[in-house]
Amino acid sequence: MQSERENGYLLNLAQADQAEESADYDTAKALLEDAIRQQPGRVDGYLQLAALQYRTGDYQGALDQLDSAVSSGSLNEKNLSAASVEKLHFIKGNCWLELQEYDKAVQELELAAQQQGAGAESYRSLAIALANAGRLDEAQKTLETLRK
């Protein structure tokens, strides 16, 4: 039974990827929501849904969905890998950037960049958020970190 549920969860994630690639965003969203219902303690579905919402311009929806998952206890950062924590804060930070809430974006993207093995994308987005928040010296220092 457990492996059937696991297989169904992974199948939904894979089919959601395919639906998104075909620009069938409603189907992708429905598949991801179903995956989350099947395995509410798994991070992949939440992050994939939030990334889909971000890519389709539903920035507030992505933020609300991630915040709800964290506040309900479905997502607990202490139980996540550094890569998943980075992605969580990266998505939230970029949503705040799009919503022009630059201080909130900086806060989230600093958390993303602090994760072990953080990617260049987190630093780049952090530099953009810092510049938009008027913190140009810090933005420059962040960009210099990328050049090293």
Side-chain angles (χ1 to χ4, degrees), residues 14 17 23 25 27 41 69 74 76 118 140:
D17 272 342
Y25 302 120
T27 298
S74 295
N76 182 341
Q140 183 64 37

Side-chain angles (χ1 to χ4, degrees), residues 85-113:
V85 173
E86 178 189 8
K87 189 170 184 181
L88 170 81
H89 291 293
F90 177 78
I91 293 167
K92 288 179 73 174
N94 279 289
C95 286
W96 286 123
L97 258 177
E98 294 295 336
L99 294 169
Q100 299 180 359
E101 293 280 351
Y102 302 121
D103 290 333
K104 290 178 182 179
V106 167
Q107 182 179 9
E108 292 295 339
L109 291 163
E110 283 177 335
L111 291 170

Side-chain angles (χ1 to χ4, degrees), residues 55-70:
R55 287 190 291 271
T56 58
D58 184 9
Y59 310 119
Q60 192 60 56
L63 290 165
D64 292 344
Q65 187 263 133
L66 289 173
D67 287 343
S68 174
V70 169

Side-chain angles (χ1 to χ4, degrees), residues 16 19 24-34 49 52-53 58:
D24 187 357
Y25 302 120
D26 291 337
T27 298
K29 184 177 179 185
L31 286 163
L32 291 169
E33 288 170 344
D34 189 47
L49 177 57
L52 171 69
Q53 290 171 303
D58 184 9

Side-chain angles (χ1 to χ4, degrees), residues 5 46 75 104 132:
R5 197 166 73 196
Y46 294 103
L75 287 183
K104 290 178 182 179
N132 279 298

